[in-house]
Amino acid sequence: MLNTAILMGRLTADPELRHTPNNLAVTSFTLAVDRSYVKSGAERQTDFIDVVAWRSTAEFVSRYFHKGQLVAVQGSIQTRSYTDKEGIKRKAFEIVADNVHFAEAKRDNYNSAPAAGGYQGYSNSGYQQQNAPGGYNRPEMEPTASFSNGDTGDFEEIPTDDDLPF
């Protein structure tokens, strides 16, 4: 059987580290993940996906990741059944994170006050911040120049062969 999920999205809130009664570190967070397709005449849809991380992964996430940050998560889908306060049986779906990665360039300054706009600046001066609507600050990377550092000496000519495998 195969149960693998790979997501990239923005954190909707700062992850908070908690501990179980057995002192296991755990954090849960939600990723806002844009759908890859857009219906003509409509706006791009966003899915809000719950993620849980345990032990050292939880400690790493709660220490280094903040609201609005672009994050890549690799893990597996887990379902849980429970009964809500009104006695109705419910089923919850979430991603159990095995690995969580930074998915954008490092930033110089972080200001945790949401009213101040979240992140302030990037360490890479070739990029600029762009905010988008959606209820939370979405800093994105926009390249200001393209291939300006490339050199033709960086490439090597590959001899052609008429016997291609495709």
Side-chain angles (χ1 to χ4, degrees):
M1 300 293 159
L2 180 65
N3 180 357
T4 300
I6 301 173
L7 304 169
M8 188 180 311
R10 296 201 179 272
L11 289 167
T12 61
D14 288 345
E16 292 185 27
L17 186 65
R18 301 181 315 274
H19 288 86
T20 67
N22 293 335
N23 206 28
L24 283 176
V26 61
T27 188
S28 53
F29 53 93
T30 301
L31 284 184
V33 179
D34 288 338
R35 292 188 184 171
S36 59
Y37 62 89
V38 180
K39 292 181 182 178
S40 62
E43 291 187 29
R44 184 175 302 275
Q45 299 290 312
T46 302
D47 293 306
F48 295 88
I49 300 171
D50 294 327
V51 180
V52 63
W54 293 89
R55 298 176 179 82
S56 61
T57 304
E59 292 169 353
F60 174 74
V61 168
S62 63
R63 182 172 181 182
Y64 294 107
F65 293 95
H66 304 284
K67 177 180 177 178
Q69 201 166 7
L70 188 63
V71 175
V73 174
Q74 181 267 322
S76 58
I77 300 170
Q78 171 180 286
T79 60
R80 291 184 290 115
S81 296
Y82 65 96
T83 304
D84 67 11
K85 294 176 184 176
E86 297 160 1
I88 299 171
K89 287 192 175 189
R90 303 264 184 195
K91 189 177 250 188
F93 294 84
E94 61 193 3
I95 304 299
V96 178
D98 294 326
N99 295 298
V100 180
H101 304 276
F102 296 99
E104 61 189 342
K106 182 179 175 184
R107 298 190 172 120
D108 287 332
N109 300 319
Y110 174 76
N111 182 348
S112 61
Y119 298 104
Q120 302 294 325
Y122 292 102
S123 61
N124 188 341
S125 61
Y127 289 84
Q128 61 191 26
Q129 178 174 341
Q130 176 185 21
N131 290 327
Y136 61 95
N137 190 22
R138 277 179 72 179
E140 294 183 9
M141 304 289 283
E142 290 286 328
T144 56
S146 63
F147 303 108
S148 61
N149 298 338
D151 184 1
T152 56
D154 293 340
F155 298 95
E156 175 182 332
E157 186 173 333
I158 299 173
T160 58
D161 187 301
D162 291 337
D163 217 10
L164 297 175
F166 50 89

